[in-house]
Amino acid sequence: MIILNEASPRVVLCVSSKEQVEGEALAQLMSGAGLPGVVHAAGLADIHPGMGLPVGAAYLMENMVYPHIPGTDAGCGVGLWRTSLKPGKINLDRWSKKLNGLDDPWDGDTVEWLAEFGVEASEPDPGLGTIGGGNHFAELQQIDQVFDADRVKDLGLKKRDVVLLVHTGSRGLGSALFWEYANEGGAQGLPGDSGQAREFMEKHARALDWGRANRALVARRFLSCLSAKESLVADVCHNSVEKVDLSSKEFFLHRKGAADATQGPFVIPGSRDAFSYLVEPLGDQRENAFSLPHGAGRKWPRGHCKARLSSKYGKSDMTHTKLGGRVICHDSALLWDEAPQAYKDIEKVMQELEKHDMARPVARLRPLITYKTRTKNRQGR
């Protein structure tokens, strides 16, 4: 853990060496720490440059709300579900062929589904139950190593279980919310006790609930393709603003690509050709602003990946992983942009978490099928 600024605002970098972090990400972290109201800023082990502010960072604010910090996907998070799929009957090629229709609007009652998650809606929402683009995915995984058998058992899991990980968020709702406030004030922020801040927080809370509902419906639709059932293990958001009480004072905790470390065990995904880890937060989490890494962190910017990789790898290398998994992505640009090589090493992220006693691994998850997007075939199946 490196202290970049001792006085207020306190700025910490949750890695062993600054050389592990891009200079641009460090500059963005310090820039964010200079915003009015910041009392504490934390750069996490997966920190990397973002749009103006780094991804993989958390900021604790006194009486200030910044709608632009969580970005265009408020409510984005990662959920883990147990499945009824049998480990002895894994057939990746057959299962992959069955995953159809996930990019299309759901044919169920979205108003009723949202109501189950406390979200009021008056008309159907065609985006609900869809994954979206960018780094979002639904990934079938298998527990291939257990580090704490008792904790895994407490979560209703065991070695070799087939589970589903879903990474997505509030889709168009979060984007609309971002631009509504960006157009009104940009990065100037809102006084925390103002009516405008209260209005934003209400709309933001709806986006967070919508994101949870979306991940749950993606899981339902994905597993329905395989005639399987699901039950939730963990669901943790990593793009959010929340009101917190510390030492009898009220603050606003802003997370940008930073997983909420107060909700118990959750999964930190690796790339589609790397392991993911089910982890349990340790300690009081104050120094790292009650937040933990949400992934491995990007190494290369989007749009640069194909030029770096296409001379060395073919399409089959992108759709069949070294770990034996399958990748479903019929968007060629996205297939290259989300290549495993574009991401940092998840093992190094885990080393930092253990070294600094921020979290411990409970189980390791191996990717089986990573679903990004699939075009509809001519028969419409």
Side-chain angles (χ1 to χ4, degrees), residues 52-377:
L53 291 173
V55 179
Y59 297 92
L60 193 65
M61 312 280 189
E62 185 172 5
N63 198 38
M64 286 298 292
V65 173
Y66 290 90
H68 76 288
I69 291 184
T72 58
D73 200 9
C76 188
V78 173
L80 178 70
W81 281 264
R82 289 181 290 269
T83 81
S84 59
L85 294 167
K86 304 299 182 185
K89 296 186 177 181
I90 293 175
N91 188 320
L92 301 188
D93 292 328
R94 180 166 58 85
W95 286 354
S96 295
K97 291 176 182 177
K98 290 185 174 184
L99 295 172
N100 288 296
L102 299 178
D103 303 289
D104 301 329
W106 183 47
D107 59 6
D109 188 336
T110 59
V111 173
E112 182 178 339
W113 184 273
L114 286 169
E116 293 181 20
F117 291 82
V119 180
E120 292 185 9
S122 59
E123 57 187 35
D125 193 328
L128 188 70
T130 58
I131 296 168
N135 61 353
H136 295 165
F137 63 84
E139 186 169 270
L140 207 62
Q141 303 177 328
Q142 185 172 33
I143 299 177
D144 98 319
Q145 189 171 354
V146 171
F147 303 104
D148 185 338
D150 290 338
R151 192 69 181 102
V152 167
K153 184 178 180 181
D154 289 343
L155 295 170
L157 301 169
K158 61 183 182 300
K159 188 174 181 180
R160 299 187 68 240
D161 274 358
V162 178
V163 296
L164 179 65
L165 195 71
V166 177
H167 173 204
T168 188
S170 58
R171 307 288 279 111
L173 179 64
S175 180
L177 181 62
F178 171 84
W179 287 111
E180 176 185 349
Y181 285 87
N183 291 333
E184 289 185 9
Q188 294 179 5
L190 309 171
D193 55 0
S194 68
Q196 198 175 16
R198 285 191 292 273
E199 180 187 67
F200 167 78
M201 291 298 291
E202 289 174 2
K203 293 178 180 179
H204 180 74
R206 185 175 188 271
L208 266 58
D209 289 337
W210 199 102
R212 284 192 306 111
N214 191 42
R215 287 188 289 278
L217 186 52
V218 168
R220 173 68 55 85
R221 298 184 71 190
F222 186 107
L223 291 170
S224 293
C225 291
L226 304 179
S227 302
K229 301 294 185 181
E230 83 285 350
S231 56
L232 182 65
V233 176
D235 186 276
V236 170
C237 178
H238 52 241
N239 285 344
S240 64
V241 182
E242 84 171 294
K243 191 181 291 187
V244 296
D245 291 315
L246 299 171
S247 304
S248 301
K249 290 187 69 175
E250 189 176 86
F251 298 89
F252 292 93
L253 179 54
H254 297 62
R255 295 185 175 99
K256 185 176 182 66
D260 185 346
T262 69
Q263 302 299 310
F266 70 98
V267 174
I268 302 178
S271 72
R272 66 192 187 213
D273 198 11
F275 297 106
S276 295
Y277 285 87
L278 177 60
V279 304
E280 183 149 48
L282 299 173
D284 64 15
Q285 300 287 320
R286 292 179 74 96
E287 196 72 301
N288 45 296
F290 310 99
S291 306
L292 287 168
H294 80 309
R298 281 197 74 91
K299 182 168 60 177
W300 298 339
R302 290 184 176 85
H304 295 199
C305 303
K306 185 176 181 179
R308 289 174 178 259
L309 298 171
S310 58
S311 63
K312 300 178 183 178
Y313 304 97
K315 185 177 179 180
S316 63
D317 298 311
M318 294 290 104
T319 57
H320 291 69
T321 72
K322 294 177 182 178
L323 289 176
R326 306 290 186 269
V327 178
I328 300 171
C329 182
H330 291 190
D331 181 326
S332 178
L334 188 60
L335 185 65
W336 290 107
D337 281 347
E338 290 299 303
Q341 295 86 346
Y343 284 85
K344 298 178 183 180
D345 187 353
I346 186 66
E347 304 301 331
K348 292 182 179 179
V349 171
M350 292 303 302
Q351 288 169 12
E352 293 294 337
L353 293 181
E354 293 185 79
K355 181 177 182 179
H356 300 295
D357 294 321
M358 289 185 285
R360 66 185 182 95
V362 175
R364 189 175 75 175
L365 312 174
R366 179 170 63 91
L368 298 177
I369 300 174
T370 306
Y371 186 98
K372 302 286 287 184
T373 183
R374 167 170 269 157
T375 53
K376 199 171 185 180
N377 63 31

